[in-house]
Amino acid sequence: MASKVSVQTSPSSYPSLTKLKMTPMPCSFEVDSFAKSAHSGVFHLLPLGLRVQNKLEALIDKHMESIGASKLSLSSITTEALWRQSGRYSANSELLRINDRRESGFLLSPTHEEEITSLVSGMVQSYKDLPLRLYQIGRKYRDERRPRQGLLRAKEFLMKDLYTFDYSQEHALKTYEQVRQAYNNIFNELKIPYLVADADSGNMGGKLSHEYHFISPKGEDNVWSCNSCSYIANEELVEKRVDEVPTSDPLVFEGISTDRTTKIIIAVPRPTSQEKIQNLTWDNISSFVNLHAAKKAAPDLDTGIETSTLTSLLPKTTQTTHITDRRLSSPQQSPNIDLTPTLPSSPCPRCPSGKLHVQKAIEVAHTFHLGTRYSTPLNALIAVPDSSEKRALQMGCHGIGISRLIGATASLLSTDKGLNWPKVIAPFEVVVVTPPSLSPSTSASTSTSTSSLSSTTSSSSTPSDAERIYDTLTSINIAADTILDDRADKGLGWKLKDADLIGYPVVVVLGRGWRESGVVEVQCRGLGVREEVEGRDVGGFVRGVLGRL
Amino acid sequence: MASKVSVQTSPSSYPSLTKLKMTPMPCSFEVDSFAKSAHSGVFHLLPLGLRVQNKLEALIDKHMESIGASKLSLSSITTEALWRQSGRYSANSELLRINDRRESGFLLSPTHEEEITSLVSGMVQSYKDLPLRLYQIGRKYRDERRPRQGLLRAKEFLMKDLYTFDYSQEHALKTYEQVRQAYNNIFNELKIPYLVADADSGNMGGKLSHEYHFISPKGEDNVWSCNSCSYIANEELVEKRVDEVPTSDPLVFEGISTDRTTKIIIAVPRPTSQEKIQNLTWDNISSFVNLHAAKKAAPDLDTGIETSTLTSLLPKTTQTTHITDRRLSSPQQSPNIDLTPTLPSSPCPRCPSGKLHVQKAIEVAHTFHLGTRYSTPLNALIAVPDSSEKRALQMGCHGIGISRLIGATASLLSTDKGLNWPKVIAPFEVVVVTPPSLSPSTSASTSTSTSSLSSTTSSSSTPSDAERIYDTLTSINIAADTILDDRADKGLGWKLKDADLIGYPVVVVLGRGWRESGVVEVQCRGLGVREEVEGRDVGGFVRGVLGRL
């Protein structure tokens, strides 16, 4: 009988969801009803969490469709041989290797550029088959040095990855803009504020790249933006307007190359506020030197080394390189290198009056124009118009961190009452909360609300309790994604608190008002709504509230 | 414009599907449009294959809902420590190990009894929270010694696994019967003939077990059934009526124990047809001895050893064990051991006149009653009624091989024309095939069918080609899961052949008849239908055909 009750709204999940659900702890996504840590950096997704994930997948599917992308499902297994061919094997220290009986060199894929390029190159021969846009939503693996913050940085995580294929850079850049627009549409539907930052493409290859960020104190990225114009960039790419005042008393740091042969001496202008200059070791160099800029000037600079190791290695170096901020050197020496870090209130590089400020952010998506970074080494060539020679495919790759986005959303939108899901990815849009006396396994055979149920179309002349709830839901006709909390062993107050903790966007309460006069209370924390509504008007009212979310 | 055309039916997949689609080769599932081998035993699922998988998942979801099972998603990563605790670590030689930087002892899960037991034991404390039924559909991993037959035996494969939890054996057995009924319902909807065999539970623990098989010459299992009654059993469990004629001239084989200390001498009656008795080595022992029965009598018997190895090891044994067929021994010695293999036409053990015959079969699903096999070692205890002591959970596990079922279905139902998907898991139920002149990118600006399109609700007074197709589909109103083949660079004949190869259940042809008189041809290979239908009647006709599939 309980299953008949549930069929009305959320047929599958209710009875067992209830059973798996622990009392959730607000603001601590991983230990509540949605996901559970199994091992360090490894999570199981519980039924409510899987529903959130499925909603997010459906949202992404819709916008991938809008740009003509087809969904497929690549294996999680790839091979060392393929990654050697692309040149990424040795550079990636986070690859997880699988031991099998044949020593096949199997790896768990952290990303799928190699596999998709290999797949497409075997199936597409001509520009006539392009553009081609293929995506998947699946698990990826990374030997995370320090798994932390739950779903934000795990060893196994879910990604949406889209790969695009064009035959010319011009077409590829148009594709890139279409993907960016689709990404904007996805994030706009989520209704969570986000920043899009110019980004460096790291070891993905290519040159054009953007990051999508949620602003959050939990974030591990720094996003810089101007308080006056639309300039936004991440830590690696942020520029600033540089004052031209030279200084004759530089700060000097000694670093080392990754191969340990070369001492790298870095000189920057001394900051005007002297009080900060204490303990000038390598460990706090980033307060004085923009290491991203230093690394651009000296690509073999080891930026990750610790002072103690550095001190023991420096005496053994046999060569010396200097990198010097442009204000300390003649233009011939190191033209235009600004080695000082961007500081809060630095002048904006793009507008005359703006100042830059920095925010902690969580990167949730990334777009890359790859060009021929993978198609050339993997020999993915196609016939092109107006040429007898085949040409390498122009590619793009575009990721959304599914599990990270879910974790970030849970953490960002939670309040002291509990989680607070955006409508579009909430596990259910609406929860209907009943007192135990309306619940299926209670022994109360009649209730004062029977009269208001008699107008339903139930064919049974003596409806069971379960049938009465089913009929109640039918009579209030909530045409939305609804779950019914009809647990018989919990009181109304407990259930309302639980609904807040789980973070359903809309709560419909069949409380005393329903028994006495057929009115229900509709609550929406996001909009500050708490209103009594006639039973027959509930459907329209709830749809109105959902429409404003 | 092409995307508007596709929105009517299969918005996402069409344009790119086309591009990924190679000319499929019938009966060779892995090299066609559905899946593609990436490495030995490792496959990528292409868009059409993913659609088949999604359809199968939806079918399973429906029937899992019917028994109140909730869907979750467990990590693919498990640990050696947990598998040691259950006692399965050393017994499983097909476990794939992951190398990570911390040597965490991570494994890729081949199945999830340990993880789900650990998860549930942390969340469920009392019988009041039961029954609990949890399932997932996800990837599993196995270090397959010899990957073969494509999706039928791969290293990475997709499984549906359901785990059930009850507090008494009585409840658990009721659950078991409900799951079996749900499984029967799933296979009945697939409309592929299947056998359900009594099965041995192998190293899963427990005692009650059934296998679901598709009969197929590609199968690697032997399923025995009676030609007169309903008796069906797999190779391990099959019984037979044993004639009681003793023989004084036995066949004798010498085997060895797995620890190499014991010679195991097996004696069986000499078969009456002498001509088969040649070359009596261990390698062909299974023609004369039922090794499953022998292993029951001597569990440490090494049944996998080869004659050459055996010959060199036997002289070093220090002990001897005899196992003897009951017709050769006194009842005191080895009571009731029948060591002879079941042969075709053996008498049925259950009915007086039936004879057994054997069929090659592909195992596609398996149900196990586990009892406390995992809950006891993993200490998953709950409070029970009428007792102050906690008791171990009564569990069941129930698998469906998703990728294997897809591979088996493709191979079973294919004909010389191509694949032939059951309606319920076909990538699309219907394909609408248009000649190039109706296609969006053709330059033919008018066609003779324009008049028959004028009755549609198109708001454009000068419709484009794409809009005309869209309107055509609207006018013939096929209310089914439909894809439109509007490729402009392929002829009608090529497209019809392609539709057959892919195996859509219903093909609707907008051919010459459509241009000349507004009739379409509806084809259904499964029902032998090939009929001309008035455009306005197509929707109802197609729904009628689909209803009979």
Side-chain angles (χ1 to χ4, degrees):
Chain A
M1 289 209 310
S3 80
K4 186 187 172 191
V5 171
S6 302
V7 162
Q8 159 78 354
T9 49
S10 62
S12 63
S13 325
Y14 192 66
S16 300
L17 269 185
T18 308
K19 277 145 195 165
L20 246 198
K21 195 165 53 191
M22 299 178 8
T23 305
M25 295 157 65
C27 309
S28 178
F29 182 82
E30 287 72 38
V31 292
D32 70 7
S33 307
F34 291 85
K36 195 143 172 75
S37 170
H39 311 287
S40 167
V42 175
F43 294 86
H44 297 319
L45 219 51
L46 302 184
L48 284 175
L50 183 58
R51 278 192 76 93
V52 171
Q53 179 184 304
N54 289 343
K55 293 276 186 94
L56 180 56
E57 285 197 31
L59 173 69
I60 290 171
D61 285 345
K62 183 175 83 171
H63 290 285
M64 290 297 99
E65 278 176 18
S66 76
I67 55 170
S70 288
K71 195 173 188 178
L72 44 55
S73 178
L74 303 176
S75 168
S76 296
I77 296 177
T78 186
T79 63
E80 187 186 313
L82 196 58
W83 279 62
R84 283 195 192 282
Q85 205 181 335
S86 74
R88 281 210 293 182
Y89 182 71
S90 54
N92 195 322
S93 63
E94 296 189 332
L95 282 170
L96 286 164
R97 171 181 279 275
I98 304 172
N99 280 353
D100 75 332
R101 64 176 92 232
R102 289 188 189 176
E103 299 185 12
S104 312
F106 281 157
L107 308 172
L108 284 172
S109 281
T111 171
H112 283 82
E113 284 77 14
E114 283 80 358
E115 287 289 343
I116 196 89
T117 307
S118 167
L119 177 72
V120 167
S121 86
M123 303 180 96
V124 170
Q125 314 300 334
S126 161
Y127 73 96
K128 293 177 186 166
D129 297 322
L130 302 178
L132 180 59
R133 295 161 185 182
L134 297 168
Y135 78 105
Q136 62 173 347
I137 295 178
R139 288 180 177 169
K140 307 217 177 295
Y141 298 85
R142 181 174 53 197
D143 195 2
E144 186 62 60
R145 198 178 290 270
R146 200 164 60 86
R148 54 196 180 273
Q149 302 211 45
L151 298 184
L152 295 191
R153 199 167 277 278
K155 289 185 176 170
E156 181 182 56
F157 52 100
L158 208 72
M159 288 279 292
K160 188 283 297 184
D161 42 337
L162 164 70
Y163 303 93
T164 64
F165 303 86
D166 289 278
Y167 70 88
S168 73
Q169 172 140 5
E170 184 194 347
H171 286 94
L173 295 181
K174 278 184 191 160
T175 292
Y176 187 85
E177 286 312 312
Q178 286 181 35
V179 173
R180 279 200 57 193
Q181 188 54 54
Y183 271 37
N184 291 343
N185 294 342
I186 290 168
F187 284 99
N188 290 340
E189 269 205 68
L190 275 175
K191 301 198 177 176
I192 298 172
Y194 64 97
L195 295 178
V196 186
D198 286 346
D200 194 34
S201 48
N203 72 346
M204 300 295 286
K207 292 237 165 84
L208 185 61
S209 170
H210 288 87
E211 289 171 357
Y212 287 70
H213 290 275
F214 288 167
I215 302 302
S216 162
K218 283 199 177 181
E220 300 185 346
D221 287 305
N222 290 319
V223 176
W224 293 82
S225 51
C226 174
N227 64 357
S228 173
C229 74
S230 65
Y231 180 73
I232 306 178
N234 74 359
E235 184 89 350
E236 285 81 4
L237 276 205
V238 63
E239 304 158 31
K240 62 180 182 300
R241 234 179 26 244
V242 184
D243 56 55
E244 293 301 330
V245 187
T247 137
S248 55
D249 176 26
L251 289 183
V252 177
F253 296 84
E254 292 187 347
I256 199 167
S257 64
T258 49
D259 68 1
R260 307 311 186 219
T261 62
T262 308
K263 178 190 291 184
I264 299 172
I265 298 177
I266 305 170
V268 293
R270 185 171 292 267
T272 46
S273 59
Q274 293 286 339
E275 76 275 11
K276 282 185 183 168
I277 307 177
Q278 291 172 356
N279 194 17
L280 280 182
T281 71
W282 188 263
D283 289 342
N284 63 359
I285 187 173
S286 59
S287 304
F288 306 99
V289 175
N290 177 346
L291 284 176
H292 304 295
K295 193 138 174 92
K296 265 186 200 155
D300 58 344
L301 175 67
D302 186 344
T303 54
I305 201 162
E306 290 175 4
T307 300
S308 53
T309 317
L310 187 62
T311 310
S312 68
L313 288 173
L314 274 177
K316 299 175 197 158
T317 55
T318 55
Q319 295 169 298
T320 303
T321 303
H322 289 265
I323 54 176
T324 306
D325 187 272
R326 65 174 181 178
R327 283 153 296 189
L328 299 173
S329 56
S330 66
Q332 292 79 3
Q333 275 185 286
S334 309
N336 268 333
I337 300 183
D338 171 14
L339 288 175
T340 56
T342 305
L343 299 174
S345 298
S346 295
C348 174
R350 297 287 159 83
C351 71
S353 61
K355 295 204 179 303
L356 297 179
H357 66 287
V358 64
Q359 291 168 287
K360 285 284 170 194
I362 301 171
E363 183 190 338
V364 287
H366 208 141
T367 55
F368 291 103
H369 168 62
L370 297 173
T372 60
R373 164 66 184 87
Y374 297 93
S375 49
T376 297
L378 298 174
N379 212 26
L381 310 178
I382 44 153
V384 293
D386 309 322
S387 167
S388 62
E389 290 212 352
K390 290 194 159 193
R391 206 174 292 161
L393 282 161
Q394 286 281 339
M395 291 175 55
C397 79
H398 311 276
I400 296 179
I402 303 283
S403 28
R404 182 183 276 193
L405 195 155
I406 292 172
T409 302
S411 127
L412 269 176
L413 300 189
S414 64
T415 71
D416 57 344
K417 290 200 157 193
L419 297 176
N420 188 17
W421 295 101
K423 177 181 70 172
V424 70
I425 62 168
F428 295 91
E429 291 176 324
V430 181
V431 60
V432 175
V433 180
T434 67
S437 62
L438 251 184
S439 297
S441 58
T442 179
S443 58
S445 59
T446 58
S447 88
T448 55
S449 65
T450 314
S451 61
S452 58
L453 291 171
S454 60
S455 64
T456 65
T457 57
S458 167
S459 59
S460 165
S461 55
T462 55
S464 70
D465 288 318
E467 284 169 330
R468 283 191 304 109
I469 296 185
Y470 182 89
D471 292 341
T472 301
L473 288 172
T474 307
S475 75
I476 64 177
N477 182 27
I478 301 174
D481 178 38
T482 304
I483 186 171
L484 167 69
D485 188 351
D486 63 349
R487 284 173 281 187
D489 58 341
K490 303 292 182 189
L492 196 61
W494 188 96
K495 289 183 182 180
L496 288 172
K497 205 165 175 180
D498 190 57
D500 274 340
L501 287 170
I502 287 175
Y504 303 105
V506 175
V507 182
V508 174
V509 192
L510 302 190
R512 191 194 296 178
W514 173 250
R515 286 202 308 279
E516 292 176 355
S517 51
V519 299
V520 306
E521 186 177 271
V522 177
Q523 302 177 356
C524 173
R525 209 168 4 132
L527 297 173
V529 167
R530 180 187 288 261
E531 210 163 317
E532 296 220 312
V533 182
E534 288 286 328
R536 64 174 172 277
D537 300 331
V538 168
F541 187 84
V542 167
R543 283 192 293 280
V545 170
L546 287 172
R548 289 156 57 203
L549 278 176
Chain B
M1 290 208 310
S3 79
K4 185 186 172 191
V5 172
S6 302
V7 162
Q8 159 77 354
T9 49
S10 62
S12 63
S13 323
Y14 190 67
S16 299
L17 268 184
T18 308
K19 277 146 195 162
L20 246 199
K21 195 165 56 190
M22 300 179 9
T23 304
M25 295 156 64
C27 309
S28 178
F29 181 84
E30 286 71 40
V31 293
D32 70 8
S33 307
F34 291 85
K36 195 141 172 78
S37 170
H39 311 286
S40 167
V42 175
F43 293 86
H44 298 318
L45 220 51
L46 302 183
L48 283 175
L50 183 58
R51 279 192 75 94
V52 171
Q53 179 183 303
N54 289 342
K55 293 276 186 94
L56 181 55
E57 286 198 30
L59 173 69
I60 290 172
D61 285 344
K62 182 175 85 170
H63 290 284
M64 290 297 98
E65 278 176 18
S66 76
I67 56 171
S70 289
K71 195 173 187 178
L72 44 57
S73 177
L74 303 176
S75 168
S76 296
I77 296 178
T78 186
T79 63
E80 187 186 314
L82 195 59
W83 279 62
R84 283 196 192 281
Q85 206 182 335
S86 75
R88 281 211 293 181
Y89 182 71
S90 55
N92 195 322
S93 65
E94 296 189 333
L95 281 170
L96 286 164
R97 169 181 280 272
I98 304 173
N99 280 352
D100 75 333
R101 63 176 93 233
R102 289 188 189 174
E103 298 185 13
S104 312
F106 281 156
L107 309 172
L108 284 172
S109 281
T111 170
H112 282 83
E113 284 76 15
E114 283 81 357
E115 287 289 344
I116 196 90
T117 307
S118 167
L119 177 73
V120 167
S121 86
M123 302 181 96
V124 170
Q125 315 301 335
S126 160
Y127 72 96
K128 292 176 185 167
D129 298 322
L130 302 177
L132 179 60
R133 294 159 187 185
L134 297 168
Y135 77 105
Q136 62 173 348
I137 295 177
R139 287 179 177 168
K140 307 218 178 293
Y141 297 86
R142 182 174 53 196
D143 195 3
E144 186 63 60
R145 198 177 292 270
R146 201 165 59 86
R148 54 197 180 275
Q149 301 211 44
L151 298 183
L152 296 191
R153 198 167 278 278
K155 289 184 175 169
E156 181 183 57
F157 51 100
L158 209 70
M159 288 277 293
K160 188 283 298 184
D161 42 337
L162 164 69
Y163 303 92
T164 63
F165 302 87
D166 289 279
Y167 70 88
S168 73
Q169 173 140 8
E170 183 195 349
H171 286 94
L173 295 181
K174 277 183 191 162
T175 293
Y176 186 86
E177 286 312 313
Q178 286 180 34
V179 173
R180 279 199 58 191
Q181 188 55 53
Y183 271 37
N184 290 344
N185 294 342
I186 290 168
F187 284 100
N188 289 341
E189 268 204 70
L190 275 175
K191 302 198 176 174
I192 299 172
Y194 64 97
L195 294 178
V196 186
D198 287 345
D200 194 34
S201 48
N203 72 346
M204 301 296 285
K207 292 237 164 84
L208 184 61
S209 171
H210 288 87
E211 288 171 358
Y212 287 70
H213 290 275
F214 288 165
I215 301 303
S216 163
K218 282 199 176 181
E220 299 186 346
D221 287 304
N222 290 318
V223 176
W224 292 83
S225 51
C226 174
N227 63 358
S228 173
C229 74
S230 65
Y231 180 73
I232 307 179
N234 73 0
E235 185 88 350
E236 284 82 6
L237 276 204
V238 63
E239 305 159 28
K240 61 180 182 298
R241 236 182 21 248
V242 185
D243 58 54
E244 294 300 331
V245 186
T247 136
S248 54
D249 176 26
L251 289 184
V252 177
F253 295 84
E254 291 188 347
I256 198 166
S257 64
T258 49
D259 68 0
R260 308 308 186 222
T261 62
T262 309
K263 179 190 293 185
I264 299 172
I265 298 176
I266 305 169
V268 293
R270 185 171 292 268
T272 47
S273 59
Q274 294 285 339
E275 76 275 11
K276 282 186 184 170
I277 307 177
Q278 290 171 359
N279 194 17
L280 280 183
T281 72
W282 188 264
D283 290 339
N284 63 359
I285 187 174
S286 60
S287 303
F288 306 98
V289 175
N290 178 347
L291 283 176
H292 303 295
K295 193 138 175 92
K296 265 186 199 155
D300 58 344
L301 176 67
D302 185 346
T303 55
I305 202 162
E306 289 175 5
T307 300
S308 53
T309 318
L310 187 64
T311 310
S312 66
L313 287 173
L314 274 177
K316 300 175 197 158
T317 54
T318 55
Q319 295 170 296
T320 302
T321 302
H322 289 265
I323 54 175
T324 305
D325 188 273
R326 66 174 182 180
R327 284 153 296 192
L328 299 172
S329 55
S330 66
Q332 293 78 3
Q333 274 187 285
S334 310
N336 267 334
I337 300 183
D338 171 15
L339 288 176
T340 56
T342 306
L343 299 174
S345 299
S346 294
C348 174
R350 297 286 161 83
C351 71
S353 62
K355 294 205 179 302
L356 297 179
H357 66 287
V358 65
Q359 291 168 287
K360 285 285 171 196
I362 301 170
E363 183 191 339
V364 288
H366 208 141
T367 55
F368 291 103
H369 168 61
L370 297 174
T372 60
R373 164 67 184 86
Y374 296 94
S375 50
T376 297
L378 297 174
N379 212 24
L381 310 178
I382 43 154
V384 293
D386 309 323
S387 166
S388 62
E389 289 213 352
K390 290 194 159 194
R391 205 175 292 160
L393 282 161
Q394 287 280 339
M395 290 175 54
C397 79
H398 311 277
I400 297 179
I402 302 282
S403 28
R404 181 183 276 194
L405 195 155
I406 293 173
T409 302
S411 125
L412 268 175
L413 300 189
S414 65
T415 70
D416 57 344
K417 290 200 157 195
L419 298 176
N420 188 16
W421 295 101
K423 177 182 68 171
V424 70
I425 63 168
F428 296 90
E429 291 177 325
V430 180
V431 60
V432 174
V433 180
T434 67
S437 62
L438 251 184
S439 296
S441 58
T442 179
S443 59
S445 59
T446 56
S447 88
T448 55
S449 65
T450 313
S451 61
S452 58
L453 291 171
S454 60
S455 63
T456 64
T457 57
S458 167
S459 59
S460 164
S461 55
T462 55
S464 69
D465 288 320
E467 284 168 329
R468 285 193 300 111
I469 296 184
Y470 182 87
D471 292 340
T472 302
L473 288 172
T474 308
S475 75
I476 65 177
N477 183 27
I478 301 173
D481 177 39
T482 304
I483 186 170
L484 167 68
D485 188 351
D486 62 350
R487 282 172 283 187
D489 58 340
K490 303 292 182 188
L492 196 60
W494 188 96
K495 289 183 181 180
L496 289 172
K497 205 164 173 181
D498 189 58
D500 274 341
L501 287 170
I502 287 176
Y504 303 105
V506 174
V507 182
V508 174
V509 192
L510 303 190
R512 191 194 296 177
W514 173 249
R515 286 201 307 280
E516 292 175 357
S517 51
V519 300
V520 307
E521 185 176 272
V522 177
Q523 303 178 357
C524 173
R525 210 169 3 133
L527 299 173
V529 168
R530 179 186 288 261
E531 209 162 317
E532 295 218 315
V533 182
E534 287 286 328
R536 63 175 172 275
D537 301 331
V538 169
F541 187 84
V542 167
R543 283 192 293 279
V545 171
L546 287 172
R548 289 156 59 203
L549 278 175

